[in-house]
């Protein structure tokens, strides 16, 4: 990936973002529901829980928290959306696409990304980032506090990352080396908000 992209790459990015937002439409299941609604849906809870068990951590506690918010939470759909978000945000960061990042990340993460992107531009460097694949995306923590739901997802991915100078000299990374990257990303949204979008509010590397 490169900060200077051609129109075809930009069209591809827009398509990916559109797909990402479509997936996020299902994430609004985390909104608290009324007791009557929960009762009506009660017959499906047992089946739903067994269907998502394989995606939980071994302790099971993160899923318990999510089920307290919504017993019918679709973890598989959530993780599909989270993986897409991971890919889109990495692409936007490598491409220096601030406008896309503004729609997907919170203020603190955006500030960090903007500083790094500005630093690359000041040094006339470009970041080429190739995501080989995401081998794991697992919920490791979840909470709802003061009207905000937060879900921490542990990603294990393989990437090729190389930073080049203005004269195409490699200044960081290795274009021939695939590196395993382990990150924990925290997504959040206001449970009472009319908006249906989750945003990335924190990242932490292992």
């Amino acid at each position: 990936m490169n900060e200077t992209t051609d129109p075809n790459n930009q069209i591809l990015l827009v398509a990916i973002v559109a797909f990402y937002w479509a997936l996020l439409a299902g994430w609004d299941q985390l909104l608290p529901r009324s007791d009557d609604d929960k009762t009506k849906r009660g017959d499906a809870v047992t089946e739903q829980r067994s269907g998502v068990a394989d995606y939980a951590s071994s302790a099971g506690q993160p899923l318990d928290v999510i089920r307290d918010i919504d017993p019918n939470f679709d973890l598989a759909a959530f993780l599909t959306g989270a993986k897409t978000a991971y890919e889109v945000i990495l692409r936007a960061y490598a491409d220096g696409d601030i406008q896309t990042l503004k729609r997907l990340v919170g203020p603190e993460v955006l500030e960090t990304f903007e500083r790094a992107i500005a630093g690359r531009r000041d040094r006339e460097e470009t970041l080429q980032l190739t995501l080989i694949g995401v081998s794991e995306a697992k919920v490791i923590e979840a909470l709802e506090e003061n009207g905000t739901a937060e879900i921490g997802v542990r990603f294990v991915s393989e990437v090729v990352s190389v930073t080049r100078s203005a004269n195409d000299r490699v200044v960081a990374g290795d274009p021939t080396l695939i590196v395993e990257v382990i990150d924990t990303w925290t997504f959040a949204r206001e449970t009472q908000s009319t908006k249906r979008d989750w945003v990335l509010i924190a990242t932490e590397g292992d």
Side-chain angles (χ1 to χ4, degrees):
M1 299 177 189
N2 192 300
E3 287 184 16
T4 303
T5 57
D6 59 36
N8 290 332
N9 285 340
Q10 293 294 354
I11 291 172
L12 177 61
L13 177 58
V14 170
I16 292 175
V17 171
F19 177 58
Y20 164 69
W21 286 122
L23 287 172
L24 282 188
W27 291 20
D28 63 1
Q29 295 180 54
L30 260 183
L31 282 173
R33 309 181 194 279
S34 65
D35 291 337
D36 290 341
D37 196 16
K38 289 181 179 179
T39 301
K40 292 177 183 178
R41 298 169 184 262
D43 293 340
V45 172
T46 301
E47 180 180 354
Q48 182 71 20
R49 288 182 179 179
S50 62
V52 300
D54 290 342
Y55 294 88
S57 68
S58 58
Q61 294 179 354
L63 273 183
D64 291 340
V65 174
I66 295 174
R67 289 170 184 149
D68 286 341
I69 300 172
D70 180 3
N72 298 292
F73 174 69
D74 188 342
L75 181 61
F78 177 87
L79 289 176
T80 297
K83 287 175 66 176
T84 304
Y86 183 78
E87 296 171 10
V88 171
I89 291 171
L90 286 182
R91 178 187 294 270
Y93 171 72
D95 290 348
D97 186 351
I98 299 297
Q99 293 306 311
T100 295
L101 291 173
K102 284 181 177 179
R103 295 194 295 270
L104 305 180
V105 308
E108 292 184 4
V109 175
L110 180 62
E111 181 180 357
T112 300
F113 284 176
E114 285 181 323
R115 284 200 306 266
I117 291 170
R120 292 202 306 260
R121 288 176 176 165
D122 290 343
R123 296 186 300 271
E124 297 184 334
E125 295 174 349
T126 57
L127 172 61
Q128 297 171 327
L129 182 66
T130 302
L131 179 63
I132 305 301
V134 178
S135 60
E136 179 180 286
K138 180 169 66 177
V139 171
I140 60 172
E141 58 184 355
L143 62 88
E144 193 278 331
E145 186 176 16
N146 298 324
T148 299
E150 297 183 10
I151 299 180
V153 181
R154 181 180 185 267
F155 294 99
V156 179
S157 63
E158 292 185 331
V159 302
V160 176
S161 177
V162 58
T163 302
R164 296 182 181 273
S165 65
N167 61 5
D168 206 36
R169 181 174 60 88
V170 174
V171 296
D174 185 338
T176 66
L177 181 64
I178 297 176
V179 179
E180 182 181 73
V181 177
I182 302 176
D183 289 315
T184 298
W185 284 20
T186 302
F187 299 93
R189 64 157 297 175
E190 295 180 2
T191 58
Q192 301 301 322
S193 173
T194 57
K195 296 181 180 181
R196 292 293 184 258
D197 50 323
W198 290 79
V199 296
L200 176 66
I201 64 166
T203 65
E204 181 178 355
D206 289 359

